[in-house]
Amino acid sequence: MEPAELIRDLRAARERTRRAVDDLAGSRELGPKLAIVNPPRWEVGHVGWFQEFWCLRQGSEARPSILPNADALYNSATVPHDSRWTLPLPSFGDTLAYRDEILKRVINQLESGAADPYFAELALRHEEMHAEAFHYTRQTLGYPAAEVSFDELPPGDAEFPGGLFRLGAPRDQAFAFDNEKWSHPVVLEPFRIARRPVTNAEYLEFVAAGGKTPAYWKDGKLRRFERWIAIPPDEPVMHVSWHDAQAYCAWAGRRLPTEAEWECAALAGLAGMLGIVWQWTASTFLPYPGFVRDPYKEYSEPWFGTHKVLRGGSFATPKGEARVRFRNFYTPDRRDVWAGFRTCAK
């Protein structure tokens, strides 16, 4: 990306972050200690620290931060999760000021030509992920957020002939995470994939037959942020784990798509693949052939083999991350994210 484009997108990402978290000062800035969320005050500081560490300090602890002891507070690779509620963090207001001062300095470097565009875009993508994570926190803790709506998609399957398919990012892609590198050939058998993710109405039939109820469902209603609403029958089911999705497939006589099948269908133009709900795939999160980790070494490599791949992005995913080749990954028990799934014929 050109510096002007990066500056525009960094500012837009910061506005999304502000809308998602800056109103949580007071009793909500730390919140309860849970394994699936971060305290918002810590996470805001981490977003600023990440930008500073990679863009202004060139990824080196030898280069000082503008905030004393910043590495000991905000480096997620070394700061244990459970400790983040009890660290001597700056006040919420000071944390916001630190985060915004870092962005100002990054933009100044981009304007002067002193910034490395790769690390500026890495910081951009990182902030976009955390903007969505703040929405997960608001959902988990029942904090209010903007209403959402979904376009209705047609039922039935789309057929694909299979054959040779190139999975992964091409080498001329402007930016790719290390786990997307690089495009490599795979052979796909002919397959049929659902034109829409499994809906609430379809999943309700499974629940009636003994299947596990999604998170945030109770007495015919679901909780979306702070509100309980009637379960919308035509919306994609959300807050189901990979194990739940597998159980549904076994009950329905279907299967989850592999990530190669999912990517093939998305690149072929199948509607509704992006920006609705994260979609579990059958694939374990593993490196592509010839994997070489990027400087941000903690991003992918520690999670290979233990996580499952999701594709597509949710309604809360910024467009920069809701990309066809973007590989999200979570442990197969997670139900707090906006994850659903679509199925394939066996």
Side-chain angles (χ1 to χ4, degrees):
M1 296 175 70
E2 294 296 320
E5 294 177 288
L6 275 169
I7 291 169
R8 177 201 64 200
D9 289 355
L10 282 163
R11 285 175 170 153
R14 181 54 49 84
E15 286 307 309
R16 282 191 289 271
T17 301
R18 289 188 178 116
R19 290 194 298 270
V21 75
D22 284 17
D23 66 336
L24 298 183
S27 61
R28 299 184 297 183
E29 67 190 54
L30 291 176
K33 183 185 289 187
L34 300 174
I36 57 174
V37 300
N38 281 304
R41 194 204 300 182
W42 179 89
E43 194 165 356
V44 169
H46 169 73
V47 168
W49 173 86
F50 190 95
Q51 268 191 359
E52 182 187 29
F53 186 75
W54 290 108
C55 298
L56 304 181
R57 299 170 59 197
Q58 288 75 56
S60 172
E61 292 184 352
R63 296 173 180 265
S65 169
I66 66 169
L67 181 70
N69 211 34
D71 295 340
L73 294 176
Y74 296 125
N75 187 342
S76 58
T78 58
V79 177
H81 182 269
D82 286 354
S83 74
R84 296 171 189 176
W85 281 262
T86 56
L87 292 167
L89 300 171
S91 70
F92 195 72
D94 287 346
T95 305
L96 296 180
Y98 165 66
R99 178 200 65 185
D100 291 345
E101 175 61 24
I102 295 303
L103 178 60
K104 178 182 175 181
R105 295 187 185 203
V106 171
I107 288 174
N108 287 342
Q109 284 207 354
L110 284 166
E111 289 175 335
S112 69
D116 185 322
Y118 171 82
F119 288 111
E121 187 157 0
L122 175 66
L124 165 65
R125 302 304 176 200
H126 177 265
E127 180 157 358
E128 289 184 326
M129 292 178 195
H130 278 279
E132 181 166 7
F134 286 126
H135 282 83
Y136 293 158
T137 297
R138 298 184 85 102
Q139 169 65 26
T140 299
L141 301 181
Y143 297 162
E147 294 188 18
V148 296
S149 61
F150 299 88
D151 294 331
E152 191 170 340
L153 295 168
D157 287 347
E159 296 191 26
F160 292 89
L164 188 66
F165 173 70
R166 296 198 67 87
L167 176 66
R171 290 182 180 271
D172 61 355
Q173 183 169 306
F175 179 89
F177 286 104
D178 54 13
N179 65 61
E180 300 170 37
K181 301 173 184 175
W182 289 109
S183 172
H184 58 284
V186 297
V187 177
L188 298 178
E189 296 295 324
F191 66 98
R192 290 166 42 207
I193 187 169
R195 295 182 179 276
R196 66 184 184 189
V198 171
T199 65
N200 286 326
E202 292 166 335
Y203 202 85
L204 274 166
E205 296 180 26
F206 170 60
V207 172
K212 190 173 183 178
T213 304
Y216 313 120
W217 281 25
K218 185 178 180 181
D219 299 329
K221 294 186 175 183
L222 63 81
R223 182 172 65 75
R224 183 162 296 154
F225 299 113
E226 85 286 15
R227 297 178 302 113
W228 285 94
I229 62 174
I231 297 173
D234 295 326
E235 285 187 4
V237 68
M238 293 184 281
H239 301 301
V240 294
S241 71
W242 183 87
H243 296 302
D244 298 335
Q246 288 283 64
Y248 176 92
C249 288
W251 171 80
R254 305 276 289 184
R255 64 174 179 84
L256 290 177
T258 65
E259 64 171 320
E261 290 171 331
W262 191 98
E263 189 171 304
C264 174
L267 287 172
L270 185 61
M273 300 295 272
L274 299 175
I276 297 176
V277 62
W278 286 108
Q279 298 163 47
W280 290 108
T281 72
S283 300
T284 299
F285 183 54
L286 293 170
Y288 287 163
F291 172 82
V292 177
R293 71 186 185 195
D294 283 347
Y296 178 26
K297 62 183 180 180
E298 295 86 8
Y299 180 65
S300 301
E301 197 170 42
W303 319 117
F304 289 145
T306 60
H307 290 49
K308 297 295 182 179
V309 175
L310 303 95
R311 292 297 195 101
S314 76
F315 62 86
T317 307
K319 290 183 179 179
E321 293 311 308
R323 296 181 288 108
V324 169
R325 293 185 174 92
F326 179 74
R327 306 173 77 198
N328 202 355
F329 46 95
Y330 281 101
T331 53
D333 59 313
R334 288 287 292 269
R335 306 169 81 226
D336 57 302
V337 298
W338 282 297
F341 60 102
R342 66 180 69 217
T343 64
C344 284
K346 283 190 173 180

